[in-house]
Amino acid sequence: MKYIDEFNDPDLARRLLEEIHATATRPWALMEVCGGQTHSIIRHGIDQLLPEQVELIHGPGCPVCVTPLDVIDKALEIAARPEVIFCSFGDMLRVPGTDRDLFRVKGEGGDVRVVYSPLDALDLARRNPGRQVVFFAIGFETTAPANAMAVHQARRLGLDNFSLLVSHVRVPPAIEAIMTAPECRVQGFLAAGHVCSVMGTAEYPELAERHRVPIVVTGFEPLDILEGIRRAVHQLERGEHRVENAYPRAVREQGNPAALSMLEEVFEVVDRNWRGIGRIPASGWRLSDAFRAYDAEYRFDVTGIRTEEPAVCRAGEVLQGLIKPTECEAFGTACTPRTPLGATMVSTEGACAAYYLYRRMADGPAQRGSRIPREELNSIG
Amino acid sequence: MADLATEAAVDPANWTCPAPLRDQPVVVMGHGGGGALSAELIEQVFAPAYGNPTLAALTDSAVLDLGGARLAFSTDSYVVRPLFFPGGSLGDLAVNGTVNDLAMSGARPAYLSTAFVLEEGVEIDVVSRIAHAIGAAAEAAGVTVATGDTKVVESGHGDGVYVTTAGVGLVPDGVDIRPQRARPGDAVLVSGPIGLHGVAIMSVREGLEFGVEIASDTAPLAGLVAAMLAVTQDIHVLRDPTRGGLGASLNEIARASGTGVRLRERAIPVPDEVANACGFLGLDPLYVANEGRLVAFVPPEHAEAVLAAMRAHPQGAGAARIGECVAEHPGMVVVATGLGGTRVVDLPLGEQLPRIC
């Protein structure tokens, strides 16, 4: 298939794998920042094919996973209001709040709708002048520009029944937080290609230099990921720590200027809580004062939210790369996609869900230490 | 992470669980998605209410002994939006869906009933077009619509038109097709490209445009099944992977038979337009609905001949051998990825949700 098969070619993958096997002489721990990369790694079984010395650690880059509980509870409260049409990307509907999720609100009569773009929500606002349309604006630098555009358009069109519930987060402060953690094991990063396609790579050289880690901008198809790993291992073996762009078909150093100017006009940088991790300075965006009228938190009185996370859930440690999902006591037992304790088990991009869905090979629901024996691999297919 | 809040120490005895899905007090869309939530609704609500050995088989159609004849019997409701879509309509689905459920027992479908639930305000012309589609589809499938019913609900209490069809057919002597008969060694065959129906519906329902028009695969499969049975009556399992897609159907077969299924990802026919749409939306083609495909478990000695017969039939032109039934990992479906890794294909929870990015 055009544009896809080229990046899924088994022969090329084999060559890249052979080079990674030949290059890696010592143990290296790389973090793929983005949940989409985690999903692709597990879906294609890439981690099973790497040499034992190369460990992939799953990063915090699942927007659904890191949206804080209090924001989800605010979403649930707003969505339950009769005057509201609450619009969200699909994978947020199943994320547990303190005592329910958006599917439940929908089942109880809330007007909750899955949209594929904030502009769809804007269109709903235009066609339903008597209703309040709220879009759940979550995600990283990837989704933020379109959400900024939606607000911009709403003001231009004079739509005063449209607002955003904003929980945007930024990747570079998260990398900084991970690298300054005392338990940090990460020695190199596969940076999220789509984030860099918006933001460019200007923020990374300083991070790479200060923490002496290679940062390789990496795409999402199997060959993209293998190439990212190959380059990162190559740098590590040589004692280098540069920023490399292994995703040049999508990423320019300067990013996307139109998207950047839209972000700058509509949002301002703030400290943000990350679910399971905590507060990271300058790691989020909110609507700037000029657009405050479109902020659902201001429009609807949703203060006084009280939240409580399950103590057993170790999603935060998973998100920081401190443990593998299978090392959590609840994995596959108390916590499954059917009964998720944390968002990492809910989102399809979440590391726990990815492990659960793609990596259970034993009879039981959970298999610890989930690397599949080589002989099993060879006997399949 | 010095300046960040850390998780509390793990104490399984005292954890509090906010999980909202543990006990669903209300029906959610996922209960109709053909995945784990659908199965739980049947197991926890319907089976205890009127369970019996026939129902417990949980096959697409029940096979009943009636006056010496082996009768296949099935019913299904159709609530698709929009009512007309590329490649078909609600009427086509209402016939083909039930005809196919009968065919998956090896039956020759014979008679159908149709029950309409109409919402006040629906144009008569719309009802007429659906009725004509039903008539045409029934003729194409070789079945007779023998009885029917019509109800009207007040405006706002329905979604235009709902159609329920039930059907009966005769199962030939010597044919015993059901999920429990899957055996290690069986070849797993699929009758053609997967995912077309689900992507076609999504493309019109959600206003998504993928650059090419994708038509539903809705079609009657009884003729294809007859062609397969002409090769050998010893076909172990047939299933039409509708809601929940191929992934859900194979999981149901694996669980019902206590066997495992191994698939080869690169052997599974996924059309480019389906792969692209799924890639765009973050969906897995294995879980996307089909309406004119079947999956078959066939003893290995007959596999190539059955596959050839499928390919010689118009509904099976794109048939492929996609894997095997195995004794390892019972109840589980595993796929060997194109790169040489493996992953589990689980029963989906409910409907697939498009990913954020």
Side-chain angles (χ1 to χ4, degrees), chain A residues 144-210:
Chain A
N147 296 343
M149 171 66 85
V151 165
H152 202 270
Q153 292 266 39
R155 188 163 76 173
R156 194 173 63 78
L157 296 169
L159 289 174
D160 56 8
N161 64 330
F162 179 79
S163 57
L164 298 182
L165 179 59
V166 179
S167 186
H168 279 303
V169 280
R170 302 172 60 236
V171 164
I175 290 181
E176 174 70 28
I178 286 163
M179 288 312 297
T180 50
E183 317 91 327
C184 177
R185 298 190 296 123
V186 179
Q187 295 164 293
F189 286 94
L190 306 181
H194 54 0
V195 166
C196 297
S197 71
V198 173
M199 303 302 291
T201 55
E203 292 181 274
Y204 291 117
E206 197 260 335
L207 276 173
E209 182 60 38
R210 187 147 40 83

Side-chain angles (χ1 to χ4, degrees), chain A residues 1-2 4-5 8-10 13-14 17 35-36 39 42-46 48-49 63-64 89-101 103-104 106-108 114 116 120 138-139 142-143 177-178 180-183 194 222-223 226 275-281 308-317 320 329 334-335 337-341 348-349 356-364 372 376-377 379-381, chain B residues 1-31 36-37 40-41 44 81 202 205-208 210 251 255 262-266 270-277 279-287 324 326-357:
Chain A
M1 185 195 317
K2 205 176 177 195
I4 298 291
D5 273 356
N8 202 3
D9 183 314
R14 198 165 299 122
L17 278 164
H39 193 75
I42 304 294
R43 177 177 162 76
H44 294 282
I46 288 172
Q48 304 161 27
L49 304 170
V64 174
F89 294 125
D91 48 5
M92 283 305 292
L93 267 65
R94 211 177 272 148
V95 181
T98 296
D99 61 4
R100 54 186 175 161
D101 60 15
F103 262 128
R104 170 98 162 264
K106 184 171 172 3
E108 290 171 345
V114 172
Y116 296 87
D120 294 342
I138 70 153
T142 333
T143 52
I178 286 163
T180 50
E183 317 91 327
H194 54 0
L223 289 188
L226 288 172
R275 188 171 192 176
I277 296 179
R279 200 160 192 81
I280 302 181
E308 190 177 0
E309 290 279 12
V312 73
C313 176
R314 299 178 72 183
E317 291 163 87
Q320 295 168 69
E329 290 299 316
C335 183
R338 176 71 180 83
T339 57
L341 294 184
T348 53
E349 290 185 10
Y356 186 86
L357 288 177
Y358 294 147
R359 199 46 60 73
R360 291 175 306 123
M361 292 293 292
D363 293 348
I372 296 170
E376 173 74 354
L377 284 179
S379 66
I380 293 177
Chain B
M1 196 157 295
D3 57 339
L4 302 178
T6 52
E7 292 290 320
V10 176
D11 180 5
N14 291 315
W15 57 268
T16 56
C17 171
L21 296 174
R22 188 175 290 273
D23 296 298
Q24 280 285 359
V26 296
V27 172
V28 296
M29 288 304 290
H31 282 118
L37 286 176
E40 285 179 14
L41 195 65
Q44 294 171 14
R81 273 187 307 131
M202 266 185 277
R205 183 189 291 172
E206 313 294 353
L208 301 168
F210 300 120
N251 267 283
R255 291 175 188 202
R262 276 185 188 165
L263 302 176
R264 288 180 295 278
E265 188 165 53
R266 294 187 87 83
V270 180
D272 285 356
E273 55 268 41
V274 171
N276 287 336
F280 174 67
L281 294 170
L283 306 178
D284 188 335
L286 286 176
Y287 297 126
E324 279 74 40
V326 296
E328 297 83 36
H329 50 79
M332 200 172 270
V333 180
V334 171
V335 61
T337 72
L339 300 189
T342 58
R343 66 186 163 96
V344 172
V345 178
D346 205 5
L347 189 65
L349 186 62
E351 291 183 292
Q352 281 203 99
L353 297 170
R355 281 161 55 197
I356 175 173
C357 57

